[in-house]
Amino acid sequence: MIELYDLAGRDPLLRFSPYCWRIRLALAHKGLEAATIPWRFHEKAKLPGAPHNQKVPVIVDGDNVVADSAAIAAYLESRYENGPSLFGGENAEAHANFIAAWADHVLMPALAPLVAPYVLPVLHPMDQIYFRSTREARLGESLDELGARSGLLLEAALATLAPVGATLGRQAFLGGAEPSYADYIVFSCLQWARCVGSPSLIARDDGLARWQDEMLNLFDGLAGNAPVAETDGRQRAAKA
Amino acid sequence: MIELYDLAGRDPLLRFSPYCWRIRLALAHKGLEAATIPWRFHEKAKLPGAPHNQKVPVIVDGDNVVADSAAIAAYLESRYENGPSLFGGENAEAHANFIAAWADHVLMPALAPLVAPYVLPVLHPMDQIYFRSTREARLGESLDELGARSGLLLEAALATLAPVGATLGRQAFLGGAEPSYADYIVFSCLQWARCVGSPSLIARDDGLARWQDEMLNLFDGLAGNAPVAETDGRQRAAKA
């Protein structure tokens, strides 16, 4: 069985990494069983392929160790070519690469300042100092300051989702009639926010809301039944 | 032969509409000969299908009149299914629909305030009052004010192109090894800017520059050999 090293919170059952979520969904899409192995930021030495591999997701499939979500998706598509395609052909994969680049360069930078303050308290205590220092350096602002202006950050994140909502107003999934890896890329970013309890990114757009419900229900509720942070994010924000 | 009603400037040979350019490229991609018919904003009554059809592109293909670039692309793909595919399959078309939505909701709104001041002087005199009033209402600012801050608007437009540059740093075209309609969508927006002489959106990104050169050379230089505004855009901006 394939092993997936998956970022976990203090609660080992709480999984929220957007790059791991898209791989969990990709594995299910391919019909592959996988065991997820909880991993924390301070366990870098435990990662297969360390010290070269420093981040999750990493999968171990027999003798193959593959890191990086895009590389894992490409690996699964070619290694398990007889399973349902993640992309739907070469042109579809090429177009999905734009959606991946948009998620990396636009969606994640819009979500990160909103979501990061909600990630901090769910992390293992030994991860919190690392997370705070790396994210505050990257975001150029303290997580406390960011948490205090969630409202404005939410508006910016919602605006960023406009092309997703427009597309999903016209078709069932980004992949068309059925979900593709493009859906997993975008959904995994929203699942990240959802699992740590940050303000909802969904309510205002019908196409997006309908789609998120379908995504949460895929594969017997793989994403929808996953644990979410117990503390209410808004309460945490109010206390901050 | 298919007829394409195409927005023209005061100079009937100057064509710059982004929604018409993507269709000119789509027709060439399909190997279809087409005659472009210069049309101006004040000639609404002359459009086939008027008054229902109010905007170009409109194509006339025998008994079929099709308006709206997305509808025309879908029409060409199904009517000429034996020609080279514009998308490369259903999943690829679904993913391209996101790229189209991104172009409509993000790229064009980022380009419009930069490019519109450069469109105004190339228009037929009878179009200028219409264009100024509709665009100033849409953009919420006078074209003269926008023209005076081209520099900042250029920075915003370049930032918007980040996911395009990232994708084209890793693959030849948005469509993969060969161009697809997704390339024509994005390129046509840049061709709009280029043809009216607005500040260049290209120089700073290698992947984007390489790709634009290839796009300009496609189909015997269809886009690259097309007339561009004679007046230098920067001079116009400086005079404004």
Side-chain angles (χ1 to χ4, degrees):
Chain A
M1 190 187 290
I2 293 172
E3 291 181 335
L4 168 65
Y5 284 77
D6 186 13
L7 183 65
R10 179 198 326 243
D11 174 357
L13 297 177
L14 184 66
R15 312 295 176 85
F16 43 86
S17 158
Y19 297 99
C20 292
W21 264 112
R22 64 190 67 173
I23 295 304
R24 291 183 72 178
L25 291 157
L27 287 160
H29 182 106
K30 280 283 182 191
L32 297 167
E33 281 200 76
T36 66
I37 297 175
W39 176 87
R40 278 87 173 216
F41 289 115
H42 68 276
E43 297 174 316
K44 294 201 188 295
K46 285 192 190 174
L47 264 192
H52 179 71
N53 292 338
Q54 292 268 313
K55 294 192 286 193
V56 290
V58 172
I59 66 163
V60 180
D61 182 18
D63 290 339
N64 297 316
V65 175
V66 189
D68 180 79
S69 60
I72 295 170
Y75 167 83
L76 295 174
E77 185 74 342
S78 70
R79 171 73 181 78
Y80 299 98
E81 60 185 343
N82 294 330
S85 173
L86 288 171
F87 299 103
E90 283 182 22
N91 295 87
E93 182 167 354
H95 291 166
N97 289 340
F98 174 84
I99 301 178
W102 174 80
D104 282 346
H105 288 265
V106 183
L107 181 58
M108 285 296 290
L111 294 182
L114 175 70
V115 177
Y118 295 86
V119 172
L120 184 69
V122 307
L123 291 176
H124 190 284
M126 290 181 68
D127 280 358
Q128 293 191 358
I129 291 174
Y130 164 83
F131 184 83
R132 182 189 283 278
S133 65
T134 54
R135 270 45 178 187
E136 291 186 345
R138 188 184 295 169
L139 298 167
E141 198 169 345
S142 83
L143 295 182
D144 301 333
E145 286 166 352
L146 291 169
R149 56 192 186 85
S150 285
L152 281 174
L153 294 167
L154 179 62
E155 293 297 326
L158 288 168
T160 300
L161 286 166
V164 182
T167 308
L168 295 171
R170 296 175 45 210
Q171 62 195 43
F173 296 96
L174 296 178
E178 302 291 336
S180 74
Y181 190 65
D183 291 277
Y184 308 145
I185 290 171
V186 175
F187 171 77
S188 67
C189 302
L190 305 187
Q191 175 78 340
W192 176 46
R194 180 179 167 274
C195 288
V196 300
S198 90
S200 175
L201 290 152
I202 292 297
R204 304 192 202 176
D205 186 293
D206 288 343
L208 214 49
R210 188 260 318 145
W211 170 80
Q212 171 163 277
D213 283 345
E214 298 200 48
M215 296 301 292
L216 290 169
N217 288 330
L218 287 177
F219 314 123
D220 296 325
L222 175 64
N225 294 331
V228 299
E230 282 183 16
T231 315
D232 181 270
R234 285 158 216 256
Q235 289 179 7
R236 280 209 309 280
K239 280 184 207 156
Chain B
M1 190 185 292
I2 293 173
E3 291 181 335
L4 167 66
Y5 284 75
D6 187 13
L7 183 65
R10 177 197 329 239
D11 174 356
L13 296 178
L14 184 66
R15 311 295 176 85
F16 45 85
S17 158
Y19 298 100
C20 293
W21 264 112
R22 63 190 68 174
I23 295 305
R24 291 184 70 180
L25 290 158
L27 287 160
H29 181 107
K30 281 284 185 191
L32 297 167
E33 281 199 76
T36 66
I37 297 174
W39 175 87
R40 277 87 173 215
F41 290 115
H42 68 274
E43 298 174 316
K44 293 199 188 300
K46 285 192 189 174
L47 264 191
H52 179 70
N53 293 338
Q54 291 270 313
K55 291 193 287 193
V56 289
V58 172
I59 66 163
V60 180
D61 182 19
D63 290 338
N64 298 315
V65 175
V66 189
D68 180 79
S69 60
I72 295 170
Y75 167 82
L76 295 175
E77 185 74 342
S78 70
R79 171 73 182 77
Y80 298 99
E81 60 184 344
N82 293 330
S85 173
L86 287 171
F87 298 104
E90 282 183 23
N91 295 89
E93 182 166 354
H95 292 166
N97 288 340
F98 174 85
I99 301 178
W102 173 80
D104 281 347
H105 289 265
V106 182
L107 181 58
M108 285 297 289
L111 293 183
L114 174 70
V115 176
Y118 294 85
V119 172
L120 183 69
V122 307
L123 292 175
H124 190 283
M126 288 180 69
D127 279 358
Q128 293 192 358
I129 291 173
Y130 164 82
F131 184 83
R132 183 189 283 278
S133 66
T134 54
R135 268 48 177 186
E136 291 186 344
R138 188 184 298 170
L139 297 168
E141 198 170 346
S142 83
L143 295 183
D144 301 334
E145 285 166 352
L146 291 169
R149 57 191 186 88
S150 285
L152 280 174
L153 295 167
L154 179 62
E155 293 297 324
L158 289 169
T160 301
L161 286 166
V164 182
T167 307
L168 295 172
R170 296 176 44 210
Q171 63 196 42
F173 296 97
L174 296 177
E178 301 290 336
S180 75
Y181 190 65
D183 291 277
Y184 307 146
I185 290 171
V186 175
F187 171 77
S188 67
C189 301
L190 306 188
Q191 176 77 340
W192 176 46
R194 181 179 166 273
C195 288
V196 300
S198 90
S200 175
L201 291 152
I202 291 296
R204 304 191 203 178
D205 186 294
D206 287 344
L208 214 50
R210 189 261 317 146
W211 170 80
Q212 170 163 278
D213 282 346
E214 298 201 48
M215 297 300 292
L216 290 169
N217 288 330
L218 288 175
F219 314 123
D220 295 325
L222 175 64
N225 294 331
V228 299
E230 280 181 20
T231 315
D232 180 270
R234 285 158 215 254
Q235 291 178 6
R236 281 210 307 278
K239 279 184 212 155

